[in-house]
């Protein structure tokens, strides 16, 4: 009888713990898959980066929800670095709404965007070694979520028009973020070569990628953090 009661108790505890947990998305990201935004004569273009920047090379990103509390986790190939030019960002996305969690230079925060605007929370000690963790409350824990993120190293603080490097997880998020399509670029290059052969036109395409406003929003949030700390 005691054994049966113990078994029932253990089963109830396990059911309670796992019944409220919702681990919906985990993305393993390959290493050495960084992209480089290079600028030459005021013209920018993307290229696959062959060097090593393990501190922004994402290996895994996932999330879990227990009750109304969400936890996002980003793991890098090497320890996270504190620098004004290095930024780590995770998004918990539901439809067009999302919670961006950001860490840069020793400071972390989470905020809500779109219909979630108004939510804001400071993250306390969110980094340990090569892991960035953000835990916060979500408005609707029963909604369908997905997780995405990126890490970037800028050459100029707050300037994505200058040279910089980044890694995105999942990899397809890079194409959504940048608007870059390697197949289209290859077709454009072939068309340009054909035009040069027939017309001798040496002009180059000066297109620029389409970016989100996350970095601009992050700059505002960082300013708020500095003001609060000074107070």
């Amino acid at each position: 009888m005691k054994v049966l009661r113990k078994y029932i108790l253990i089963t109830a505890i396990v059911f309670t713990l796992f019944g409220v947990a919702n681990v919906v998305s985990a993305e393993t990201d390959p290493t050495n898959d960084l992209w480089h935004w290079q600028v030459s004569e005021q013209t920018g273009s993307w290229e696959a980066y062959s060097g090593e920047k393990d501190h922004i090379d994402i290996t895994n990103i996932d999330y879990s929800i227990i009750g109304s509390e969400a936890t996002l986790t980003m793991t890098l190939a090497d320890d996270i670095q504190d620098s004004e030019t290095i930024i780590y960002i995770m998004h918990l996305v539901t439809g067009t709404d999302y919670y961006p969690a950001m860490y840069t230079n020793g400071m972390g925060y989470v905020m809500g965007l779109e219909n979630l605007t108004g939510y804001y929370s400071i993250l306390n000690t969110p980094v340990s070694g090569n892991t960035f963790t953000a835990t916060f409350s979500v408005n609707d824990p029963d909604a369908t979520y997905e997780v995405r993120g990126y890490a970037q190293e800028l050459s100029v603080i707050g300037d994505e028009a200058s040279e910089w490097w980044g890694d995105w997880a999942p990899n397809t998020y890079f194409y959504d973020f940048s608007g870059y399509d390697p197949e289209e670029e290859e077709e454009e290059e072939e068309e340009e070569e054909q035009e040069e052969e027939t017309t001798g036109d040496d002009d180059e395409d000066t297109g620029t990628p389409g970016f989100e406003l996350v970095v601009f929003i992050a700059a505002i949030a960082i300013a708020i953090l500095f003001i609060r700390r000074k107070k």
Side-chain angles (χ1 to χ4, degrees), residues 25-93:
S25 183
E27 297 283 350
T28 300
D29 191 61
T31 56
N32 301 317
D33 60 338
L34 275 64
W35 287 92
H36 177 209
W37 175 249
Q38 56 179 349
V39 179
S40 176
E41 296 180 356
Q42 298 183 340
T43 300
S45 61
W46 289 106
E47 67 170 359
Y49 183 61
S50 58
E52 292 186 3
K53 286 184 176 291
D54 289 347
H55 55 281
I56 60 168
D57 196 345
I58 302 169
T59 60
N60 189 79
I61 185 168
D62 59 50
Y63 83 91
S64 64
I65 296 178
I66 300 177
S68 61
E69 187 174 82
T71 299
L72 308 184
T73 305
M74 175 187 288
T75 306
L76 288 301
D78 199 359
D79 287 352
I80 290 171
Q81 294 187 11
D82 287 338
S83 169
E84 292 181 339
T85 59
I86 300 176
I87 306 168
Y88 303 90
I89 299 177
M90 297 181 285
H91 292 166
L92 184 63
V93 185

Side-chain angles (χ1 to χ4, degrees), residues 122-173:
I122 295 174
L123 298 173
N124 295 314
T125 61
V127 167
S128 177
N130 66 336
T131 304
F132 169 31
T133 303
T135 300
F136 56 96
S137 297
V138 292
N139 183 51
D140 184 3
D142 296 323
T144 300
Y145 292 97
E146 63 180 74
V147 65
R148 67 190 185 192
Y150 63 101
Q152 63 179 179
E153 181 172 357
L154 306 171
S155 60
V156 179
I157 298 173
D159 186 5
E160 287 184 334
S162 300
E163 180 183 36
W164 62 284
W165 302 261
D167 187 22
W168 286 258
N171 281 329
T172 52
Y173 178 37

